[in-house]
Every structure is written in C-alpha cells, then in structure tokens.
Amino acid sequence: MLMALFVYGIIGLCGYIWLTRGFFSALIHLVCTVAAGAIALSLWEPLGYLLLANSPDRGFFVFLRDSAWAIALGVPFIVVLVLLRLATNKLLIFNAQGDKVGDAIGGAVCGAASGVLTAGIFMLAIGMLRAPADALGYAPVSYSTQATARGAIETTPGLFSGATLRADKLTANFYGYLSRTTFRTAEPLARWHPDMAATVAANRMTYEGKSRNTLKKTDFRVNNWYTIGLRRDDGSFDRSYTGKPIAPLLADQWNGPSQGAIELNGERITNGYVAGFQVQLLPTSREKVGSVLVGAGQVRLVVESLTDEDTLPLFPVATVTAMDVTNLEPGQEPAYARFRFDGNDVFLSSVGGASETLMTFEFAVPSGYRPIGLYVKGTRWDVPAGDPAKNMALPAERDADIVAKGGVFPAPTEAAAAIDPVVASNLMGFTIQSGSERGLTVFTDGGNNWVRDGEEAYRRDQVGGRNMAGVDRSLQIQRFEVSPDTVLVKVNVSANSPASILSEAALSADPSQPLLLVDTNGVTYTPVGYVYSDSERYKLRYTLGRPIRSLQELTQSGITLSTSRSDQKLELIFRVTFGARVRAFQIGGTPIYELPEPLALDTHQK
C-alpha cells in the first residue's frame, strides 16, 4: 500500500505541476527526465561495481555494500536531472503557450509521463536495497502456484501488482527498448537485464528478508559449467542448443518424480537442456552468522536466442552442494547431493566450518538459447564463448559424478607442492604503477623502481595482471630496495605454512615477544615489514627504521589471520646480513620453524 501511495503521489504531483506550467515546459521536463534516466542506467553498473569494491564488510559504512546498486542508480538520476533542468532553464528562458485547454492537457500528459519514469527509477532503486521481498507492500514476483513448478519464481502479469501501477516495469521496458533502438549501444540494457523490474525484485527474496542480496566480484568465482541434453548420439556437441524434452533431464537419484520448469512469465519449458554452473563462494560471501545462504531468486542465468536478439532471465531449478555434516565420522568427507528448489522459501546453506562453499546451480534452458551471463546476488560473471567444459547426454552421468567426486567437477584444490616458508627475495609479490605509490617512498634509478620506505594498501583490481598490460617496465614498481651488505628474507607465516603463526607452538608463545629470524651464528633479526594479501586487497609495510616488534603490533595494525580463511597470506620481511646462513624462525625463545638446511644468503639482490 505504501508503494502505491508513493507511485501515485509522484505521478499525480508531476501531472499537476506541469499542468499548471503548460505543454512546452512539461515537454522539456519530460525530455530531461528521459535523458537523465538513460544516463543514470548507463552509469549504473560501472558505478555499482565501483561502490561494491570499495565498501567495507563491517563497521558503520557496511550499508554501502548493501545499498550500492540503489545508490548507483538513484543518485546519478537525481544529479543529472537537476543539472539538465538548470541548463535548459538557462537556455530556454521564455515559455511557449497555446490554447489554454490543450496547453493544460498536454502539460498534464507530459507531467504524468515524467512522473511514471521518475517513480519507475526510484522503484527500481528501492528494489535493490537489502529489504524484504514485499517491502512497502509491493511484491511483483512470487513463488509459482503451478503444481509442476513449485518453488519456481514467477512474475505478476500485466501492469499492476495489486493496486500498484508497475512503473518500474514500464520504465525498465521503455529504456530496454531504447537501448536496442534510439539509444542503441554495444552492450544494450535489454540484453543483460531482460525483465529488469522482476529480476531486481527476485534478488530481494532473501532468508527471512534479512540475508545479503549483494556480493562483490571478489566474493565468488565460477569454476566451470556443463550441459545435460546437448550431446548427440555420436558424442558431438549440439551447437544449435536444441536439446530434448526437458522433464527427463530434470530427474535425479535423490528426489521423487521429475520436476517441471517455467520461465519468469509462467510459461512452461517443454524442450531444451540443463546448464549447470559450479560456483565457489569465498569466505567474504558469508552472512554475519558465519554461513552462506542462497535462495532461488538470488542466482539467475541470462540466455540469448541464437536466431534473434531475444534474451531471457532464468532461475535455478536445483543446486548440487554438500549434505549435512553433523553425523560424519572423524576424517570423513561430506557427501554431495542435488537439492531442488521445489517449494516456497527454499534456501540452501553452507555446512560445516569450511572456509569456502561449493554450489553448482542448474537451470532449465529453452531450446535455441545459449547462456551469456550468470548473476550471483546481483554480480555478473560473463559466460565465455565456446563449448561448455563437459557435455552429458543424461542426468545419470551427472549423478554418478556427484557420488564419486562430489560434483561434475571436483572441488578445486591448492597445488599439492609443499610450501617453502623461508625464501631470499626482495620481490613484493605484486606490481603497482609509478604514480600510485601514495604512502610509499620509491627510489628510481636507471629506469628501475624500488620501494624504500612506507606502508600502503591496494585493492586487488588496482595491482598487477591486466592493470599492468602495456605499462612500460620503467613505470612498474615490484621490488624493495636492498643495500649491498644485506639480503631480504621473506618468511611465510600464513595458516597453511609450516612456519605459521597459528601453529600450536606459535599460539603457546608470548605474543608480546619479538619475532625473530636466527642465523647459524646465533644472530637474530626482527622483521622490517610484511606483505599481506587476501581475496580483496594487498597491504605492505617496509620500514627499516621502525621494525615490527611483536605479534601484538601486527594485530594492532589490523593484520590478523584465521584458520577459516584460505585466501589469506602473510609474509614477514627480514633484513639479514649478506653472507649469513639462516637456520630458524622463532617467537622470543619459542622455536616455530627450523629449516631443514641453513639458507645461505650469498647472492646480491637487485
């Protein structure tokens, strides 16, 4: 009811204001509103991802993470509309008036149209907030009541949801149409966000209306994808994506009769194939309670027709994930199974205390459509061109893989090679570009750059990799400065390292005692810095005149490790005399790691 009052209030107010000002002024405002909406929607995704990447996961400003998409749409719309109105008021000083009745009617119509677009933009923005699915009494999507499609997401048909005009649907459809015609772009809104108003609302169908509906790009990764029903009898892949009758492909060995599948508009999918995407949800994707919670409305697949530009949003019919682990024997691995979204409010949760959660989402895809994008809690992963990693003819093949390997693709594991915890190196472990050193002092000589002093933090998307492509080597910073009479030694003290500060020996040591690297002559060295990294950031410190005195100092500077987080890495940096031979790492007098053979530091570092 509140949403209906909001929508009709905006439309009525705009209609009345511009009725009194006449058709010409109302038409100018309508043009400004159309332009502001188009600009806001073009900025929406880039700005949304930027806000998400820079939002904290705890503290007062955590609201930025939960409202990033709403802010990225609503704020640019307001700002651009105000600027356009100021500009047109300066340029078009005089009004044009015609017949009073016609002028008033034209003004009211243009004003009401502006009101619909304005209300629609704000309805979309409000729909992106972390709020219950029926916030303000408006719920344009619901669980299907069809007997063969229980638990599927279905949108309200028509232009009304109860008493509320679906201005969000009108607005999204209007700009979607323009994105393929008058305002056509290389990546049109209609391609990536079909039925935008409904999918925005579906993403808000969270556990008890309170769990997260946003994820950062660094909170998950998609490992691979597969299909069922596109393998021909000769073993080749059906690139026409024709598929087969869908019902038999949705069967599995854990559930009863095969489920049905529908599109968002309620139309049954009778022929097609199953597409499965293995998603690895990282530690930062967890809720406050420590688990991952995902519902059917929070994951969607966008598929595109091979014959025209039509795209469809699809929601998962099932998920392959770990079963309950409460009854496992010590050392026993959790079993995996396929769980259907076959009822209202079905939410799948991570089990146990593993730092990462593996979930494979399966979708029923209509014939002739190919996946192009997977959205997980609002964040998109582009499906790569080419064939899927695996193609199966029948669901029994998938079931056999789940039983034998815990999924069609085994869970990715770290390289089995043992970690060498103590190495001689002055490499930072990542690269930054000259000009972005900020809190670091950099020494440059002969086209080379070295970090001389300071401390700084960087997001992962600000360093290395693609960001350095095409950057001249003379502009790259990737080493610490070393004097000729010293050598830098890095000690990996991460949770999975033999020299871990989370080991039993380290935890039993006094945290106020110094961190020491010991050579064969009994000379000790304290760390002059560190390099820390996790799934979101890098942080480094290199302060020769201000050594790190203890574990307590590390903690006070915000560096803490957890055995539940496999994404964390911490290397302590020691400045050791050239020619020395390092034999051990310890905390005060407590040995933490003894090298199998002393490390000879007889090579100068550049």
Side-chain angles (χ1 to χ4, degrees):
M1 187 63 184
L2 290 176
M3 185 63 82
L5 293 174
F6 172 77
V7 172
Y8 296 130
I10 290 181
I11 295 174
L13 181 62
C14 288
Y16 175 75
I17 289 174
W18 296 108
L19 176 150
T20 62
R21 298 190 179 184
F23 172 67
F24 181 73
S25 294
L27 180 63
I28 296 301
H29 183 74
L30 176 58
V31 171
C32 290
T33 304
V34 171
I39 294 170
L41 283 165
S42 68
L43 295 173
W44 169 56
E45 278 198 316
L47 184 56
Y49 284 125
L50 181 64
L51 288 173
L52 274 175
N54 289 279
S55 61
D57 291 317
R58 61 183 68 86
F60 176 76
F61 290 101
V62 72
F63 76 88
L64 288 174
R65 181 195 68 188
D66 298 330
S67 55
W69 294 115
I71 294 171
L73 179 60
V75 172
F77 175 73
I78 295 171
V79 171
V80 173
L81 183 57
V82 169
L83 292 176
L84 289 175
R85 286 310 341 237
L86 290 173
T88 53
N89 288 344
K90 289 290 185 182
L91 293 172
L92 304 172
I93 302 173
F94 300 104
N95 193 7
Q97 293 183 330
D99 175 71
K100 286 188 176 180
V101 175
D103 208 35
I105 294 174
V109 170
C110 289
S114 300
V116 169
L117 293 178
T118 302
I121 290 290
F122 283 110
M123 288 176 76
L124 289 171
I126 292 170
M128 297 170 192
L129 294 170
R130 184 173 179 174
D134 58 352
L136 302 181
Y138 179 62
V141 293
S142 60
Y143 294 106
S144 177
T145 57
Q146 297 185 42
T148 58
R150 291 181 303 117
I153 307 295
E154 194 170 346
T155 187
T156 303
L159 294 178
F160 290 87
S161 176
T164 306
L165 174 67
R166 295 191 61 190
D168 54 349
K169 180 178 180 178
L170 289 169
T171 301
N173 289 350
F174 174 69
Y175 284 109
Y177 174 77
L178 290 181
S179 73
R180 291 196 185 276
T181 54
T182 308
F183 296 161
R184 186 176 183 89
T185 64
E187 299 292 345
L189 177 73
R191 182 178 191 236
W192 293 107
H193 295 279
D195 290 310
M196 181 179 177
T199 57
V200 162
N203 191 45
R204 217 170 56 247
M205 298 174 78
T206 57
Y207 181 70
E208 296 184 346
K210 298 176 181 178
S211 58
R212 291 177 60 178
N213 66 338
T214 59
L215 287 182
K216 302 176 183 180
K217 288 185 176 182
T218 54
D219 289 340
F220 73 96
R221 57 176 172 264
V222 180
N223 296 323
N224 250 319
W225 72 290
Y226 61 86
T227 60
I228 304 174
L230 291 181
R231 195 176 73 196
R232 297 191 180 99
D233 293 339
D234 61 2
S236 62
F237 178 64
D238 178 11
R239 291 188 178 85
S240 68
Y241 290 87
T242 302
K244 302 174 181 178
I246 199 70
L249 302 180
L250 297 176
D252 62 67
Q253 69 179 53
W254 294 274
N255 298 283
S258 178
Q259 66 190 122
I262 60 173
E263 296 178 18
L264 186 57
N265 61 7
E267 185 176 335
R268 290 186 61 195
I269 300 173
T270 55
N271 290 286
Y273 61 96
V274 172
F277 292 80
Q278 187 189 69
V279 178
Q280 197 149 5
L281 295 154
L282 303 179
T284 49
S285 67
R286 293 178 176 269
E287 306 288 334
K288 279 187 177 181
V289 295
S291 60
V292 174
L293 286 168
V294 182
Q298 296 181 292
V299 181
R300 73 180 184 273
L301 181 68
V302 177
V303 296
E304 186 173 50
S305 171
L306 271 66
T307 57
D308 55 36
E309 293 184 328
D310 185 44
T311 56
L312 297 172
L314 302 172
F315 294 93
V317 295
T319 298
V320 177
T321 191
M323 299 171 67
D324 186 14
V325 297
T326 54
N327 296 318
L328 290 183
E329 298 294 329
Q332 184 181 358
E333 292 292 326
Y336 280 69
R338 184 176 183 267
F339 300 88
R340 293 177 178 176
F341 291 108
D342 57 359
N344 295 2
D345 297 316
V346 174
F347 294 93
L348 296 174
S349 171
S350 57
V351 296
S355 61
E356 298 180 359
T357 301
L358 206 63
M359 291 186 176
T360 300
F361 298 95
E362 290 193 342
F363 302 82
V365 183
S367 294
Y369 284 82
R370 184 194 185 280
I372 60 171
L374 179 73
Y375 288 83
V376 182
K377 295 192 177 183
T379 294
R380 187 176 80 221
W381 176 79
D382 293 343
V383 179
D387 298 345
K390 190 168 185 177
N391 306 298
M392 293 168 279
L394 298 170
E397 297 175 56
R398 174 209 55 213
D399 294 352
D401 280 345
I402 292 172
V403 172
K405 302 185 294 187
V408 174
F409 309 105
T413 57
E414 296 296 326
I419 294 174
D420 188 357
V422 182
V423 296
S425 172
N426 66 328
L427 286 171
M428 292 160 43
F430 62 95
T431 305
I432 59 174
Q433 185 174 345
S434 180
S436 63
E437 52 266 35
R438 301 196 293 251
L440 303 176
T441 300
V442 175
F443 169 68
T444 301
D445 182 50
N448 295 308
N449 304 291
W450 296 269
V451 172
R452 173 171 284 178
D453 186 73
E455 53 186 307
E456 191 55 75
Y458 298 92
R459 298 193 315 270
R460 277 192 171 268
D461 62 0
Q462 294 177 320
V463 304
R466 295 177 182 176
N467 293 322
M468 293 299 114
V471 176
D472 190 273
R473 190 171 185 83
S474 65
L475 298 177
Q476 297 184 22
I477 306 168
Q478 53 187 208
R479 296 176 183 271
F480 297 105
E481 184 184 27
V482 189
S483 61
D485 59 342
T486 60
V487 174
L488 293 189
V489 176
K490 294 163 72 175
V491 179
N492 186 338
V493 296
S494 310
N496 60 347
S497 169
S500 174
I501 55 175
L502 297 178
S503 66
E504 186 176 344
L507 293 175
S508 67
D510 183 349
S512 66
Q513 291 296 303
L515 301 159
L516 301 173
L517 196 62
V518 186
D519 68 18
T520 52
N521 293 321
V523 178
T524 59
Y525 307 87
T526 53
V528 296
Y530 59 77
V531 177
Y532 169 83
S533 65
D534 58 29
S535 60
E536 294 184 349
R537 61 171 179 156
Y538 285 96
K539 186 175 182 180
L540 65 86
R541 170 177 165 179
Y542 188 59
T543 50
L544 302 183
R546 188 164 52 93
I548 298 167
R549 294 166 294 183
S550 64
L551 283 175
Q552 284 182 338
E553 185 175 338
L554 277 176
T555 303
Q556 291 166 1
S557 65
I559 302 299
T560 58
L561 299 181
S562 170
T563 55
S564 298
R565 292 192 59 180
S566 60
D567 63 321
Q568 292 181 309
K569 183 178 181 180
L570 175 61
E571 293 177 309
L572 299 178
I573 304 169
F574 294 83
R575 184 170 179 253
V576 183
T577 303
F578 180 82
R581 299 171 71 231
V582 172
R583 66 169 181 83
F585 168 63
Q586 57 192 52
I587 299 177
T590 304
I592 305 301
Y593 178 73
E594 191 86 20
L595 278 74
E597 295 288 338
L599 176 63
L601 306 177
D602 52 7
T603 302
H604 289 287
Q605 296 170 338
K606 297 181 179 180

